[in-house]
Coordinates of all heavy atoms in Angstrom, one line a residue:
S1 N -17.5 -1.5 25.4 CA -18.2 -1.3 26.6 C -17.5 -2.0 27.8 O -17.5 -1.5 28.9 CB -19.7 -1.7 26.5 OG -19.8 -3.1 26.3
D2 N -16.9 -3.1 27.5 CA -16.1 -3.8 28.5 C -15.0 -3.0 29.0 O -14.7 -3.0 30.2 CB -15.6 -5.2 28.0 CG -16.7 -6.2 27.8 OD1 -17.8 -6.0 28.3 OD2 -16.4 -7.2 27.1
M3 N -14.3 -2.3 28.0 CA -13.2 -1.5 28.4 C -13.6 -0.3 29.3 O -13.0 0.0 30.4 CB -12.4 -0.9 27.2 CG -11.2 -0.1 27.6 SD -10.2 0.3 26.1 CE -11.1 1.7 25.5
R4 N -14.7 0.3 29.0 CA -15.2 1.4 29.8 C -15.7 0.9 31.2 O -15.4 1.5 32.2 CB -16.4 2.1 29.1 CG -15.9 3.2 28.1 CD -17.1 4.0 27.5 NE -17.0 3.7 26.1 CZ -17.9 3.1 25.4 NH1 -19.0 2.7 25.9 NH2 -17.7 3.0 24.1
E5 N -16.3 -0.3 31.2 CA -16.8 -0.8 32.4 C -15.6 -1.2 33.3 O -15.6 -1.0 34.5 CB -17.6 -2.1 32.2 CG -18.2 -2.7 33.4 CD -19.1 -3.9 33.1 OE1 -19.8 -3.9 32.1 OE2 -19.0 -4.8 33.9
A6 N -14.6 -1.8 32.7 CA -13.4 -2.2 33.5 C -12.6 -1.0 34.1 O -12.2 -1.0 35.2 CB -12.4 -3.0 32.6
N7 N -12.6 0.1 33.2 CA -11.9 1.3 33.7 C -10.6 1.0 34.3 O -10.3 1.5 35.5 CB -12.8 2.2 34.6 CG -12.3 3.6 34.8 OD1 -11.6 4.1 33.9 ND2 -12.7 4.1 35.9
Y8 N -9.8 0.3 33.6 CA -8.5 -0.3 34.2 C -7.3 0.3 33.5 O -7.3 0.2 32.2 CB -8.5 -1.8 34.1 CG -7.6 -2.4 35.1 CD1 -7.9 -2.6 36.4 CD2 -6.3 -2.8 34.6 CE1 -7.0 -3.2 37.3 CE2 -5.4 -3.4 35.5 CZ -5.8 -3.6 36.8 OH -4.9 -4.2 37.7
K9 N -6.4 0.8 34.2 CA -5.2 1.5 33.6 C -4.4 0.5 32.8 O -4.2 -0.7 33.2 CB -4.4 2.1 34.7 CG -3.3 3.0 34.2 CD -2.6 3.7 35.4 CE -1.6 4.7 34.9 NZ -1.2 5.6 35.9
N10 N -3.9 0.9 31.7 CA -3.0 0.2 30.8 C -3.7 -1.1 30.2 O -3.0 -2.1 29.8 CB -1.7 -0.3 31.5 CG -0.9 0.9 31.9 OD1 -0.8 1.9 31.2 ND2 -0.4 0.9 33.1
S11 N -5.0 -1.0 30.0 CA -5.7 -2.2 29.4 C -6.1 -1.9 28.0 O -6.7 -2.8 27.3 CB -7.0 -2.5 30.2 OG -7.9 -1.4 30.2
D12 N -5.8 -0.8 27.4 CA -6.2 -0.4 26.0 C -5.7 -1.5 25.0 O -6.6 -1.9 24.2 CB -5.6 0.9 25.7 CG -5.9 1.4 24.3 OD1 -7.1 1.4 24.0 OD2 -5.0 1.8 23.6
K13 N -4.5 -1.9 25.0 CA -4.0 -2.8 24.0 C -4.7 -4.2 24.1 O -5.0 -4.8 23.1 CB -2.5 -3.0 24.1 CG -1.7 -1.7 24.0 CD -2.0 -0.9 22.8 CE -1.2 0.4 22.8 NZ -1.9 1.5 23.2
Y14 N -5.0 -4.6 25.3 CA -5.7 -5.8 25.5 C -7.1 -5.8 24.9 O -7.5 -6.7 24.2 CB -5.9 -6.2 27.0 CG -6.9 -7.2 27.3 CD1 -6.6 -8.6 27.0 CD2 -8.1 -6.9 27.8 CE1 -7.6 -9.6 27.2 CE2 -9.1 -7.9 28.0 CZ -8.8 -9.2 27.7 OH -9.8 -10.2 27.9
F15 N -7.8 -4.7 25.1 CA -9.1 -4.6 24.5 C -9.1 -4.4 23.0 O -10.0 -4.9 22.3 CB -9.9 -3.5 25.2 CG -10.4 -3.9 26.6 CD1 -9.8 -3.4 27.7 CD2 -11.4 -4.8 26.7 CE1 -10.2 -3.8 29.0 CE2 -11.9 -5.2 28.0 CZ -11.3 -4.7 29.1
H16 N -8.1 -3.8 22.5 CA -7.9 -3.7 21.0 C -7.7 -5.1 20.5 O -8.4 -5.5 19.5 CB -6.6 -2.9 20.6 CG -6.9 -1.4 20.6 ND1 -7.3 -0.8 19.4 CD2 -6.7 -0.5 21.5 CE1 -7.4 0.5 19.6 NE2 -7.0 0.7 20.9
A17 N -6.8 -5.9 21.1 CA -6.6 -7.3 20.6 C -7.8 -8.1 20.8 O -8.2 -8.9 19.9 CB -5.4 -7.9 21.4
R18 N -8.5 -8.0 21.9 CA -9.7 -8.9 22.2 C -10.8 -8.6 21.2 O -11.5 -9.5 20.7 CB -10.1 -8.7 23.6 CG -11.1 -9.9 24.0 CD -11.6 -9.8 25.4 NE -13.0 -9.2 25.2 CZ -13.7 -8.7 26.2 NH1 -13.2 -8.8 27.5 NH2 -14.9 -8.2 26.1
G19 N -11.1 -7.3 21.0 CA -12.1 -6.9 20.1 C -11.9 -7.5 18.7 O -12.8 -8.0 18.0
N20 N -10.7 -7.4 18.2 CA -10.3 -7.9 16.9 C -10.4 -9.4 16.8 O -10.8 -10.0 15.9 CB -9.0 -7.3 16.4 CG -9.1 -5.9 15.9 OD1 -9.3 -5.7 14.7 ND2 -9.1 -4.9 16.7
Y21 N -9.9 -10.0 17.9 CA -9.9 -11.5 18.0 C -11.4 -12.0 18.0 O -11.7 -12.9 17.2 CB -9.3 -11.9 19.3 CG -9.3 -13.4 19.6 CD1 -8.3 -14.2 19.1 CD2 -10.3 -13.9 20.4 CE1 -8.4 -15.6 19.4 CE2 -10.3 -15.3 20.7 CZ -9.3 -16.1 20.2 OH -9.4 -17.4 20.4
D22 N -12.2 -11.4 18.8 CA -13.7 -11.8 18.8 C -14.3 -11.6 17.4 O -15.0 -12.5 16.9 CB -14.4 -11.0 19.8 CG -14.1 -11.3 21.3 OD1 -13.4 -12.4 21.5 OD2 -14.4 -10.5 22.2
A23 N -14.0 -10.5 16.7 CA -14.6 -10.2 15.4 C -14.1 -11.2 14.4 O -14.9 -11.8 13.6 CB -14.3 -8.8 15.0
A24 N -12.8 -11.5 14.4 CA -12.2 -12.5 13.5 C -12.8 -13.9 13.6 O -12.9 -14.6 12.6 CB -10.7 -12.5 13.6
R25 N -13.2 -14.2 14.8 CA -13.7 -15.6 15.1 C -15.1 -15.7 14.4 O -15.6 -16.8 14.3 CB -13.8 -15.8 16.6 CG -12.4 -16.0 17.1 CD -12.4 -16.3 18.6 NE -13.4 -17.4 18.9 CZ -13.0 -18.6 19.4 NH1 -11.8 -18.8 19.7 NH2 -13.9 -19.5 19.6
R26 N -15.7 -14.6 14.0 CA -17.0 -14.6 13.4 C -16.9 -14.9 11.9 O -17.9 -14.9 11.2 CB -17.7 -13.3 13.6 CG -18.1 -13.1 15.0 CD -18.7 -11.8 15.3 NE -19.0 -11.5 16.7 CZ -20.1 -11.7 17.3 NH1 -21.2 -12.1 16.6 NH2 -20.3 -11.5 18.5
G27 N -15.7 -15.1 11.4 CA -15.4 -15.5 10.0 C -14.7 -14.4 9.2 O -14.4 -13.3 9.8
P28 N -14.5 -14.6 7.9 CA -13.8 -13.7 7.1 C -14.4 -12.3 7.1 O -13.7 -11.3 7.1 CB -13.8 -14.3 5.7 CG -14.1 -15.7 5.9 CD -14.9 -15.8 7.2
G29 N -15.7 -12.2 7.1 CA -16.4 -10.9 7.2 C -16.1 -10.2 8.5 O -16.0 -9.0 8.5
G30 N -16.0 -10.9 9.5 CA -15.7 -10.3 10.8 C -14.3 -9.8 10.9 O -14.1 -8.7 11.4
A31 N -13.4 -10.5 10.3 CA -12.0 -10.0 10.3 C -11.9 -8.8 9.4 O -11.2 -7.8 9.8 CB -11.1 -11.1 9.8
W32 N -12.6 -8.8 8.3 CA -12.6 -7.7 7.4 C -13.2 -6.4 8.1 O -12.6 -5.4 8.0 CB -13.3 -8.0 6.1 CG -13.5 -6.8 5.2 CD1 -12.6 -6.4 4.3 CD2 -14.6 -5.9 5.1 NE1 -13.1 -5.2 3.7 CE2 -14.3 -4.9 4.2 CE3 -15.8 -5.8 5.8 CZ2 -15.2 -3.9 3.9 CZ3 -16.7 -4.8 5.5 CH2 -16.4 -3.9 4.6
A33 N -14.3 -6.6 8.7 CA -15.0 -5.5 9.4 C -14.1 -5.0 10.5 O -14.0 -3.7 10.7 CB -16.3 -6.0 9.9
A34 N -13.5 -5.9 11.3 CA -12.6 -5.4 12.3 C -11.5 -4.6 11.8 O -11.1 -3.5 12.4 CB -12.1 -6.6 13.1
K35 N -10.9 -5.0 10.7 CA -9.8 -4.2 10.1 C -10.3 -2.8 9.6 O -9.6 -1.8 9.9 CB -9.1 -4.9 8.9 CG -8.0 -4.1 8.3 CD -7.1 -4.9 7.4 CE -6.0 -4.2 6.8 NZ -5.5 -3.0 7.4
V36 N -11.4 -2.8 9.0 CA -11.9 -1.5 8.5 C -12.2 -0.6 9.6 O -11.9 0.6 9.6 CB -13.2 -1.8 7.6 CG1 -13.9 -0.5 7.3 CG2 -12.8 -2.5 6.3
I37 N -12.9 -1.1 10.7 CA -13.3 -0.3 11.8 C -12.0 0.2 12.6 O -11.9 1.3 13.0 CB -14.2 -1.0 12.7 CG1 -15.6 -1.2 12.0 CG2 -14.4 -0.3 14.1 CD1 -16.5 -2.2 12.7
S38 N -11.1 -0.7 12.8 CA -9.8 -0.4 13.5 C -9.1 0.7 12.8 O -8.6 1.7 13.4 CB -8.9 -1.6 13.7 OG -9.6 -2.6 14.5
D39 N -8.9 0.5 11.5 CA -8.2 1.5 10.7 C -8.9 2.9 10.7 O -8.3 3.9 10.9 CB -8.1 1.1 9.2 CG -7.1 -0.1 9.0 OD1 -6.4 -0.4 10.0 OD2 -7.1 -0.7 7.9
A40 N -10.2 2.9 10.6 CA -11.0 4.1 10.6 C -10.8 4.8 12.0 O -10.6 6.0 12.1 CB -12.5 3.9 10.3
R41 N -10.9 4.1 13.1 CA -10.8 4.6 14.4 C -9.4 5.3 14.6 O -9.3 6.4 15.2 CB -11.1 3.6 15.5 CG -12.5 3.2 15.6 CD -12.7 2.2 16.7 NE -12.4 2.7 18.0 CZ -13.2 3.0 18.9 NH1 -14.5 2.9 18.7 NH2 -12.8 3.5 20.1
E42 N -8.4 4.6 14.2 CA -7.1 5.1 14.3 C -6.9 6.4 13.5 O -6.2 7.3 13.9 CB -6.0 4.1 14.0 CG -5.9 3.0 15.1 CD -5.7 3.4 16.5 OE1 -4.9 4.3 16.7 OE2 -6.4 2.9 17.4
N43 N -7.4 6.4 12.3 CA -7.3 7.5 11.4 C -8.0 8.7 12.0 O -7.5 9.8 11.9 CB -7.8 7.2 10.0 CG -6.8 6.3 9.2 OD1 -5.6 6.3 9.5 ND2 -7.3 5.5 8.3
V44 N -9.2 8.5 12.5 CA -9.9 9.6 13.1 C -9.2 10.1 14.3 O -9.1 11.4 14.5 CB -11.4 9.2 13.5 CG1 -12.0 10.2 14.5 CG2 -12.2 8.9 12.3
Q45 N -8.6 9.3 15.1 CA -7.8 9.7 16.3 C -6.6 10.5 15.9 O -6.3 11.5 16.5 CB -7.4 8.5 17.1 CG -6.8 8.9 18.4 CD -6.5 7.7 19.3 OE1 -6.8 6.6 19.0 NE2 -5.9 7.9 20.4
R46 N -6.0 10.1 14.8 CA -4.8 10.9 14.3 C -5.2 12.3 13.9 O -4.5 13.3 14.1 CB -4.1 10.2 13.2 CG -3.2 9.1 13.7 CD -2.2 8.6 12.6 NE -2.7 8.4 11.3 CZ -2.8 7.2 10.8 NH1 -2.3 6.1 11.4 NH2 -3.3 7.0 9.6
V47 N -6.4 12.4 13.2 CA -6.9 13.7 12.8 C -7.2 14.6 14.0 O -6.8 15.7 14.0 CB -8.1 13.6 11.8 CG1 -8.8 14.9 11.6 CG2 -7.7 12.9 10.5
T48 N -7.9 14.0 15.0 CA -8.3 14.8 16.1 C -7.0 15.2 16.9 O -6.9 16.3 17.4 CB -9.3 14.1 17.1 OG1 -8.7 12.8 17.5 CG2 -10.6 13.9 16.3
D49 N -6.0 14.3 17.0 CA -4.8 14.6 17.6 C -4.1 15.8 16.9 O -3.5 16.6 17.5 CB -3.8 13.4 17.7 CG -4.2 12.4 18.8 OD1 -5.1 12.8 19.6 OD2 -3.7 11.3 18.8
L50 N -4.2 15.8 15.6 CA -3.6 16.9 14.8 C -4.2 18.2 15.2 O -3.5 19.2 15.3 CB -3.7 16.6 13.3 CG -3.1 17.6 12.3 CD1 -1.6 17.6 12.5 CD2 -3.5 17.2 10.9
F51 N -5.5 18.3 15.3 CA -6.2 19.5 15.7 C -5.8 19.9 17.2 O -5.6 21.1 17.5 CB -7.7 19.4 15.6 CG -8.1 19.5 14.2 CD1 -8.7 18.4 13.6 CD2 -8.0 20.6 13.4 CE1 -9.2 18.5 12.2 CE2 -8.4 20.7 12.1 CZ -9.0 19.6 11.5
K52 N -5.7 18.9 18.0 CA -5.4 19.2 19.4 C -3.9 19.6 19.7 O -3.6 20.5 20.5 CB -5.7 18.0 20.3 CG -7.1 17.7 20.5 CD -7.3 16.5 21.4 CE -8.7 16.0 21.6 NZ -8.8 14.8 22.3
H53 N -3.0 18.9 19.0 CA -1.6 19.0 19.3 C -0.7 19.5 18.1 O 0.5 19.6 18.3 CB -1.0 17.7 19.7 CG -1.8 17.1 20.9 ND1 -1.7 17.5 22.2 CD2 -2.7 16.1 20.9 CE1 -2.5 16.8 23.0 NE2 -3.1 15.9 22.2
G54 N -1.4 19.8 17.0 CA -0.6 20.3 15.8 C 0.2 19.1 15.3 O -0.1 18.0 15.5
D55 N 1.2 19.4 14.4 CA 1.9 18.4 13.7 C 3.1 18.0 14.6 O 4.3 18.0 14.2 CB 2.4 19.0 12.4 CG 2.9 17.9 11.5 OD1 2.6 16.7 11.7 OD2 3.7 18.2 10.5
S56 N 2.8 17.6 15.8 CA 3.8 17.2 16.8 C 4.2 15.7 16.8 O 5.1 15.3 17.4 CB 3.4 17.6 18.2 OG 2.3 16.8 18.6
G57 N 3.4 14.9 16.0 CA 3.6 13.5 16.1 C 3.0 12.8 17.3 O 3.1 11.7 17.5
H58 N 2.2 13.7 18.1 CA 1.6 13.2 19.3 C 0.7 12.0 19.0 O -0.1 12.0 18.1 CB 0.7 14.3 19.9 CG 0.0 13.9 21.2 ND1 -1.2 13.3 21.2 CD2 0.4 13.9 22.5 CE1 -1.5 13.0 22.4 NE2 -0.6 13.4 23.2
G59 N 0.9 10.9 19.6 CA 0.0 9.7 19.5 C 0.4 8.8 18.4 O -0.2 7.7 18.3
V60 N 1.4 9.1 17.6 CA 1.8 8.2 16.5 C 2.2 6.8 17.0 O 1.8 5.8 16.5 CB 2.9 8.9 15.6 CG1 3.4 7.9 14.6 CG2 2.3 10.1 14.9
E61 N 3.1 6.8 18.0 CA 3.6 5.6 18.6 C 2.4 4.8 19.2 O 2.4 3.5 19.0 CB 4.7 5.8 19.6 CG 6.0 6.1 19.0 CD 7.1 6.2 20.1 OE1 7.0 5.5 21.1 OE2 8.0 7.1 19.9
D62 N 1.5 5.4 19.9 CA 0.4 4.8 20.5 C -0.5 4.2 19.4 O -1.0 3.0 19.6 CB -0.4 5.7 21.4 CG -1.4 5.0 22.2 OD1 -1.1 4.0 22.9 OD2 -2.6 5.4 22.1
S63 N -0.7 4.9 18.3 CA -1.5 4.4 17.2 C -0.9 3.2 16.6 O -1.6 2.2 16.3 CB -1.7 5.5 16.2 OG -2.5 5.1 15.1
R64 N 0.4 3.2 16.4 CA 1.1 2.0 15.9 C 0.9 0.8 16.8 O 0.7 -0.3 16.3 CB 2.5 2.3 15.6 CG 2.8 3.2 14.4 CD 4.2 3.4 14.1 NE 4.4 4.3 13.1 CZ 5.3 5.3 13.1 NH1 6.2 5.4 14.1 NH2 5.4 6.1 12.1
A65 N 1.0 1.1 18.1 CA 0.9 0.0 19.1 C -0.5 -0.6 19.1 O -0.7 -1.8 19.2 CB 1.3 0.5 20.4
D66 N -1.5 0.3 19.0 CA -2.9 -0.1 18.9 C -3.1 -1.0 17.7 O -3.7 -2.0 17.7 CB -3.8 1.1 18.8 CG -4.0 1.9 20.1 OD1 -3.5 1.4 21.1 OD2 -4.5 3.0 20.1
Q67 N -2.6 -0.5 16.5 CA -2.7 -1.3 15.3 C -2.0 -2.6 15.4 O -2.5 -3.6 14.8 CB -2.2 -0.5 14.1 CG -3.2 0.7 13.7 CD -4.5 0.2 13.1 OE1 -5.2 -0.6 13.6 NE2 -4.8 0.7 12.0
A68 N -0.9 -2.7 16.1 CA -0.2 -4.0 16.2 C -1.1 -4.9 17.1 O -1.2 -6.1 16.8 CB 1.1 -3.8 16.9
A69 N -1.7 -4.4 18.1 CA -2.6 -5.2 19.0 C -3.8 -5.6 18.2 O -4.3 -6.8 18.3 CB -3.0 -4.4 20.2
N70 N -4.3 -4.7 17.3 CA -5.5 -5.1 16.5 C -5.1 -6.3 15.6 O -5.9 -7.2 15.4 CB -5.9 -3.9 15.6 CG -6.5 -2.7 16.4 OD1 -7.0 -2.9 17.5 ND2 -6.4 -1.5 15.8
A71 N -4.0 -6.2 14.9 CA -3.5 -7.2 14.0 C -3.3 -8.5 14.7 O -3.6 -9.6 14.2 CB -2.3 -6.8 13.2
W72 N -2.7 -8.4 15.9 CA -2.5 -9.6 16.7 C -3.8 -10.4 17.0 O -3.9 -11.6 16.7 CB -1.9 -9.2 18.1 CG -1.6 -10.3 19.0 CD1 -2.5 -10.9 19.9 CD2 -0.3 -10.9 19.3 NE1 -1.9 -11.8 20.6 CE2 -0.6 -11.8 20.3 CE3 0.9 -10.7 18.8 CZ2 0.5 -12.6 20.8 CZ3 2.0 -11.5 19.3 CH2 1.7 -12.4 20.3
G73 N -4.8 -9.6 17.4 CA -6.1 -10.3 17.7 C -6.8 -10.8 16.4 O -7.3 -11.9 16.4
R74 N -6.7 -10.0 15.3 CA -7.3 -10.5 14.1 C -6.7 -11.8 13.5 O -7.3 -12.6 12.9 CB -7.2 -9.4 13.0 CG -8.3 -8.4 13.0 CD -8.4 -7.6 11.8 NE -7.2 -7.0 11.4 CZ -6.7 -5.8 11.8 NH1 -7.4 -5.2 12.7 NH2 -5.6 -5.4 11.4
S75 N -5.4 -11.9 13.8 CA -4.7 -13.1 13.3 C -5.0 -14.4 14.1 O -4.5 -15.5 13.8 CB -3.2 -12.8 13.4 OG -2.7 -12.9 14.7
G76 N -5.8 -14.2 15.2 CA -6.2 -15.4 16.0 C -5.3 -15.7 17.2 O -5.4 -16.6 17.9
K77 N -4.3 -14.8 17.4 CA -3.4 -15.0 18.5 C -4.1 -14.6 19.8 O -5.0 -13.7 19.8 CB -2.1 -14.2 18.4 CG -1.2 -14.6 17.2 CD 0.0 -13.7 17.0 CE 0.8 -14.2 15.9 NZ 1.9 -13.2 15.6
D78 N -3.7 -15.1 20.9 CA -4.3 -14.9 22.2 C -4.3 -13.5 22.7 O -3.2 -13.0 22.9 CB -3.7 -15.9 23.2 CG -4.4 -15.8 24.6 OD1 -5.4 -15.1 24.8 OD2 -3.9 -16.5 25.5
P79 N -5.4 -12.8 22.8 CA -5.4 -11.4 23.3 C -4.9 -11.3 24.7 O -4.4 -10.2 25.1 CB -6.8 -11.0 23.2 CG -7.6 -12.2 23.0 CD -6.7 -13.3 22.5
N80 N -4.8 -12.3 25.5 CA -4.3 -12.2 26.8 C -2.9 -11.9 26.9 O -2.3 -11.5 28.0 CB -4.6 -13.5 27.6 CG -6.1 -13.7 27.9 OD1 -6.7 -12.7 28.5 ND2 -6.7 -14.8 27.6
H81 N -2.2 -12.0 25.8 CA -0.8 -11.5 25.7 C -0.7 -10.1 26.1 O 0.3 -9.7 26.7 CB -0.3 -11.7 24.2 CG 1.0 -11.1 23.9 ND1 2.2 -11.7 24.3 CD2 1.4 -9.9 23.3 CE1 3.2 -11.0 23.9 NE2 2.8 -9.9 23.3
F82 N -1.7 -9.3 25.9 CA -1.7 -7.8 26.2 C -2.5 -7.6 27.5 O -2.6 -6.4 27.9 CB -2.4 -7.0 25.1 CG -1.6 -7.1 23.8 CD1 -2.0 -8.0 22.8 CD2 -0.6 -6.2 23.6 CE1 -1.3 -8.0 21.6 CE2 0.1 -6.2 22.4 CZ -0.2 -7.1 21.4
R83 N -3.0 -8.6 28.2 CA -3.8 -8.4 29.4 C -2.9 -7.9 30.5 O -2.0 -8.6 30.9 CB -4.5 -9.7 29.8 CG -5.5 -9.5 30.9 CD -6.1 -10.9 31.3 NE -7.2 -10.7 32.2 CZ -8.4 -10.5 31.8 NH1 -8.8 -10.6 30.6 NH2 -9.3 -10.3 32.8
P84 N -3.3 -6.7 31.1 CA -2.5 -6.3 32.2 C -2.8 -7.1 33.5 O -3.9 -7.5 33.7 CB -2.9 -4.8 32.4 CG -4.3 -4.8 31.9 CD -4.3 -5.8 30.8
R85 N -1.7 -7.2 34.3 CA -1.9 -8.0 35.5 C -2.9 -7.3 36.4 O -2.9 -6.1 36.6 CB -0.5 -8.0 36.2 CG -0.5 -9.0 37.4 CD 0.9 -9.1 37.9 NE 1.6 -10.2 37.1 CZ 2.9 -10.3 36.9 NH1 3.7 -9.4 37.4 NH2 3.3 -11.3 36.2
G86 N -3.8 -8.1 36.9 CA -4.8 -7.6 37.9 C -6.1 -7.1 37.2 O -7.1 -6.8 37.9
L87 N -6.2 -7.2 35.9 CA -7.5 -6.8 35.2 C -8.5 -7.8 35.6 O -8.4 -9.0 35.4 CB -7.3 -6.8 33.7 CG -8.5 -6.5 32.9 CD1 -9.0 -5.0 33.1 CD2 -8.3 -6.7 31.4
P88 N -9.6 -7.3 36.2 CA -10.7 -8.3 36.6 C -11.3 -9.0 35.4 O -11.3 -8.6 34.3 CB -11.8 -7.4 37.2 CG -11.1 -6.1 37.5 CD -10.0 -6.0 36.5
D89 N -11.8 -10.3 35.7 CA -12.4 -11.1 34.7 C -13.7 -10.4 34.2 O -14.1 -10.4 33.1 CB -12.8 -12.4 35.2 CG -11.5 -13.3 35.4 OD1 -10.5 -13.0 34.8 OD2 -11.7 -14.3 36.2

């Protein structure tokens, strides 16, 4: 909801990292749930991209970058690494 409210260009990776960071801080169950949800969301997106764009590889790089940001946040690293300049607090 924060990402939708911010509606800020190039902030996707920041919100991926922050969501996983916040979940991981809730303990091992939070980190596990964040991984399961992140993986499921990326897999669903790949399937919908396949229907929209065929077997073009569309979105593969973006999905990998999203998963890298997810892992970054889950590992406890600062999600602000991905924060775009000018994103409101």
Side-chain angles (χ1 to χ4, degrees):
S1 65
D2 288 347
M3 184 170 77
R4 277 186 240 117
E5 184 181 321
N7 193 28
Y8 199 82
K9 192 172 186 163
N10 298 319
S11 64
D12 181 51
K13 305 304 177 262
Y14 165 72
F15 285 105
H16 275 272
R18 195 182 100 191
N20 279 269
Y21 177 84
D22 290 346
R25 291 181 51 115
R26 295 177 183 260
W32 174 84
K35 178 163 179 32
V36 169
I37 292 167
S38 296
D39 290 349
R41 288 180 61 106
E42 291 304 318
N43 287 331
V44 166
Q45 187 173 356
R46 281 199 309 247
V47 169
T48 58
D49 283 350
L50 184 63
F51 284 114
K52 287 181 186 176
H53 305 286
D55 195 19
S56 68
H58 181 271
V60 172
E61 283 184 34
D62 188 55
S63 181
R64 285 186 187 135
D66 288 349
Q67 287 290 52
N70 292 335
W72 178 280
R74 274 195 309 274
S75 73
K77 295 179 183 172
D78 186 2
N80 286 312
H81 172 78
F82 294 96
R83 186 182 189 90
R85 189 170 276 155
L87 178 65
D89 288 338

